[in-house]
Amino acid sequence: MPALRPLFVVAGIGRAAGTGAAAARRFSKEGYSVALIARGEDSLNALSEDIKKGGGEAAPYCIPSYSPDDIASAFTSISAQFPNSHYALRAALFNVGYAVWKLFLEVTAAEVQESLNTNVAAAFAFSRSAILKFKENNLNAENPKRGTLIFTGATASTRGNKMTSAFSIGKFGARALSQSLAKEFGKDGIHVAHAIIDGQIMTGAALERSGDKPLSGLSPESIAQAYMYLVNQEKSAWTWELDLRPAQEQW
């Protein structure tokens, strides 16, 4: 029986130029089929076509929101397009985030709710769908673990600050979720990891905001390389949390 092709699912690709897109391209080059989940249809389609032009296999899944129902619906569509007879979900990345940079008394109730919905409730729903798919994978000598679930975190995942009250509560929550899942599902051969991205990610949007000022930050491709490292770790030495920052970053 031919080996099942590994599948990588990523939620959150932004403008198709940041961490999620870089991870999708990297995993495709490593032989993974790629399922892309996001709200921006144009970016999704552009990234999917770019991966296909490079010889990979990719499919876009545009959802109206990161609600639990919409995420579950996306996974249902993915299962239909990438059936268990030919594919096995081996890696999943939750790269979604909602940031609020305001002083506490300026934050609205709607912004607090959106932070919790996107950073916590959506992460919970994505994790549930991914773990249920991982549990369908058999453990054997060729595949000693069922899959790897990665969360993209931030400096605000471990440290609140004057402008991050609404953002930090969401990122703290996602970090706590990842730790709980790592402890619960490690025995089942499911690796859960949380990556703290401590610094500015070098995307087109970041460069636009910096204007003429020099900008140092994290390369999305370097972050993707670290994610591949997590996926390839052996069971005897799994990382739950790693932090990534530029050499110049103050911390």
Side-chain angles (χ1 to χ4, degrees), residues 155-198:
T155 309
S157 298
T158 62
R159 187 182 72 197
N161 214 326
K162 292 182 293 185
M163 301 286 285
T164 67
S165 56
F167 184 41
S168 288
I169 58 174
K171 299 307 283 187
F172 265 67
R175 180 176 185 258
L177 171 64
S178 74
Q179 188 178 53
S180 298
L181 298 179
K183 293 180 177 182
E184 180 175 353
F185 293 102
K187 68 182 188 313
D188 298 324
I190 297 173
H191 180 191
V192 181
H194 179 260
I196 299 172
I197 309 303
D198 185 20

Side-chain angles (χ1 to χ4, degrees), residues 50-113:
D50 185 48
I51 291 173
K52 291 176 184 177
K53 288 178 182 177
E57 182 178 22
Y61 300 90
C62 186
I63 56 177
S65 74
Y66 285 112
S67 69
D69 286 346
D70 287 340
I71 290 174
S73 177
F75 269 88
T76 297
S77 298
I78 291 169
S79 295
Q81 188 160 353
F82 298 95
N84 290 353
S85 57
H86 293 85
Y87 302 88
L89 179 63
R90 292 293 179 185
L93 169 62
F94 186 77
N95 187 61
V96 180
Y98 176 79
V100 181
W101 308 102
K102 290 183 177 181
L103 294 171
F104 174 70
L105 294 179
E106 297 175 359
V107 177
T108 67
E111 288 170 330
V112 173
Q113 191 61 58

Side-chain angles (χ1 to χ4, degrees), residues 1-26:
M1 182 178 179
L4 300 179
R5 180 161 183 174
L7 175 66
F8 172 59
V9 175
V10 53
I13 64 161
R15 299 182 183 179
T19 302
R25 293 187 178 97
R26 177 57 187 265

Side-chain angles (χ1 to χ4, degrees), residues 218-238:
L218 297 99
S219 158
E221 289 73 26
S222 295
I223 298 172
Q225 179 178 339
Y227 289 172
M228 182 58 68
Y229 160 74
L230 291 171
V231 169
N232 289 332
Q233 283 184 328
E234 295 183 355
K235 290 179 68 176
S236 65
W238 276 355

Side-chain angles (χ1 to χ4, degrees), residues 25-54:
R25 293 187 178 97
R26 177 57 187 265
F27 277 74
S28 176
K29 289 179 181 178
E30 296 292 333
Y32 286 74
S33 297
V34 179
L36 308 164
I37 302 174
R39 291 176 297 182
E41 186 172 9
D42 291 343
S43 295
L44 272 174
N45 290 336
L47 179 58
S48 178
E49 289 304 312
D50 185 48
I51 291 173
K52 291 176 184 177
K53 288 178 182 177

